Amino acid sequence: MSMFCFQCQETARGTGCTTRGVCGKKEELAKLQDLLIYTLKGISEIIIKGNLAIDTLEETNKEVLNSLFMTITNANFDEASFEKQIGGMIALRDMLRESAPQAELHDAATFAVGSRESMLEKAAVVGVLATENEDLRSLRETIIYGLKGMAAYAEHAKNIGEEDLQINHFIYEALAATLDSSLSVDELVALTLKTGEYGVKVMALLDGAHRSRFGNPESTAVNIGVRKNPAILITGHDLVDLEQLLEQTKGSGVDIYTHGEMLPAHYYPAFKKYDHFAGNYGNAWWKQLEEFVSFRGPILFTTNCIVPPRSEEVRARIFTTGSTGYPGCTHIDAGADGTKDFSEIIALARTLPPPEEIESGTIRGGFAHNQVLALADQIVEAVSSGAIKKFFVLAGCDGRMKSRAYYTEFAEKLPRDTVILTAGCAKYRYNKLALGEIGGIPRVLDAGQCNDCYSLAVIALKLKERFALDDINELPIAYNIAWYEQKAVIVLLALLYLGVKNIHLGPTLPGFLSPTVAGVLADKFGLTGIGTVDDDLALFLDQ
Ligand code: SF4
Ligand code: SF3
């Protein structure tokens, strides 16, 4: 075995990638990611044991979030940027250690490496399998994957100027805890749930930041066809990058299209004022191999999910920014004031042909909590009259596995008196089906990006209030969630923390859940996998 990674849903055989990632991550990249995480644990131990005031640690706070984000599945494939990041984090760690000397520190807080070879050698003994006990390993990794998702959302909020240092502090506390061999399985289960508590906080923070900067998402028909101008495709989740790109392309004759998780940007009032914000091109991340070819213009990645490009021609059109990276692709850094200069992308766009049309028409979305609650009276009335029998939360991620056809079939077979609540790129499995409306309410209500699962929780909590129920689980809402990467892990932990029971998680349960941990989640929360569409529908509609 030359590497070990089991953090995403597509992990080899459902148990772990051991020679090369299904995602394209190679052995050395996997090891550098392991070492970066290990370094973050050491930094966290120094901060927690030394009781350091984190409001004085701006650089560390920022770079710990960035480091965690870089290791999310499909975010960054650039080994050179990992080497640089490890070097930088070790330098920060050593400064922190000198400013607050402590007697007993873990190796993670003190180890030294210099060359790339020494990094790889060290990485080989500090990865996931360094924790021998399967249950402790499972819980430690569940927490770490939740923290990766949390860090991504905290970084987006910080880019808008919003931060909650309690969240950063929790990240340090939890990372440090993964080094503590005195913690029992029960204590780590409690920490896993606390991770969900902070997941709710970070999603609320990002939701507030998005709404205060860009307005409340509203019901919007998004064009999925193309125009005749040269164009740039922007993907990922960072709306500040999008805002800067739209500003810099104003009046340039270059149109901007969204891909994948950037689609919900169209729902925000702040972006509707740009005439050249032309529409959404294509589908979820994994379709990019074909869709980037037919798009023909430059592509800007603001976050995951990158699929290694198959041709030089496409690679030369891909740009990365933020925590993302891919070898051979131009990376655009922010200036000291946070501004990014996208002029190289714009100049390239002008030399390339407009996108080839792959579909036409519109899709509707923009049903975040504000918009749904504006319809609350209509919804309560529809539920009370029996016009709507049940809501299905089908949120989460999409992915390449053939078994994900389940979600399209599930949406198609749902009775006509049910409504789908969605968020994240999972929606592409059913957002172009003609599922119709119930009394003017669309049968697919898309709240937005994966972080907007928070909106779905707010909607559920408000409906609970409106129906005067004691428990969120008494609502006619069923949860059938699809996951892929680590943002889905923090969303799941957040839902568990909010008390949501009987979530079905698919297309497969996480390989990082040991049988014992999966058993605890099943007993405590009724968390379970999926079966066949017909069996699951019968089960859900019976509840
Ligand atoms: Fe495998 Fe997923 Fe890890 Fe990539 S991120 S190496 S596919 S488990
Ligand atoms: Fe999708 Fe990668 Fe997770 Fe934000 S873009 S949901 S998979």
Side-chain angles (χ1 to χ4, degrees), residues 248-425:
Q248 291 176 34
T249 44
K250 255 195 320 203
S252 69
V254 172
D255 286 338
I256 304 299
Y257 293 82
T258 52
H259 189 264
E261 272 286 73
M262 200 55 90
L263 156 66
H266 293 277
Y267 313 153
Y268 288 91
F271 301 125
K272 291 187 173 167
K273 64 176 189 254
Y274 297 99
D275 296 336
H276 63 302
F277 194 29
N280 187 71
Y281 190 83
N283 296 281
W285 64 275
W286 62 278
K287 294 265 201 169
Q288 66 187 254
L289 287 176
E290 57 208 79
E291 291 169 356
F292 287 1
V293 172
S294 59
F295 185 75
R296 304 196 285 209
I299 299 119
L300 174 62
F301 271 99
T302 67
T303 70
N304 58 314
C305 280
I306 300 175
V307 180
R310 288 213 180 115
S311 76
E312 248 338 289
E313 190 278 318
V314 172
R315 187 202 299 234
R317 288 193 272 121
I318 293 179
F319 294 75
T320 59
T321 190
S323 304
T324 63
Y326 195 85
C329 296
T330 305
H331 186 81
I332 296 177
D333 278 320
D337 65 348
T339 308
K340 294 177 179 176
D341 178 0
F342 294 129
S343 52
E344 192 183 336
I345 312 181
I346 301 165
L348 177 63
R350 286 209 176 95
T351 68
L352 295 168
E356 183 188 317
E357 183 150 281
I358 52 174
E359 54 193 344
S360 60
T362 59
I363 46 176
R364 186 163 288 280
F367 298 93
H369 55 91
N370 205 74
Q371 177 69 80
V372 173
L373 296 173
L375 302 172
D377 288 340
Q378 242 174 298
I379 292 175
V380 169
E381 166 58 29
V383 173
S384 309
S385 71
I388 296 179
K389 287 265 165 39
K390 203 160 196 149
F391 294 92
F392 284 82
V393 172
L394 293 189
C397 306
D398 197 8
R400 289 170 274 227
M401 274 193 173
K402 289 214 166 37
S403 55
R404 286 186 189 256
Y406 166 97
Y407 294 102
T408 309
E409 192 191 336
F410 189 89
E412 281 169 333
K413 286 190 170 166
L414 274 174
R416 308 283 304 166
D417 54 7
T418 58
V419 170
I420 295 171
L421 301 173
T422 191
C425 64

Side-chain angles (χ1 to χ4, degrees), residues 50 88 114 119 142 152 160 169 180 220 286 335 348 353 373 387 395 399 402 408 530 534:
M119 286 184 186
T142 305
I160 305 178
H169 192 274
D180 184 349
T220 306
W286 62 278
L348 177 63
L373 296 173
K402 289 214 166 37
T408 309
I530 59 170
D534 292 334

Side-chain angles (χ1 to χ4, degrees), residues 1-24:
M1 189 183 297
S2 53
M3 61 175 271
F4 186 82
C5 180
F6 63 175
Q7 67 173 354
C8 84
Q9 186 274 323
E10 291 185 2
T11 195
R13 297 168 301 277
T15 53
C17 295
T18 54
T19 48
R20 185 195 165 112
V22 172
C23 59

Side-chain angles (χ1 to χ4, degrees), residues 73-74 153 235-237 260-261 284-285 303-306 396-399 423-426 449-451 483-488:
T73 300
N74 295 339
Y153 296 154
T235 187
H237 304 67
E261 272 286 73
W285 64 275
T303 70
N304 58 314
C305 280
I306 300 175
C397 306
D398 197 8
C425 64
Q449 299 177 326
C450 49
N451 41 287
W483 82 286
Y484 172 60
E485 36 79 347
Q486 298 77 51
K487 294 177 195 180

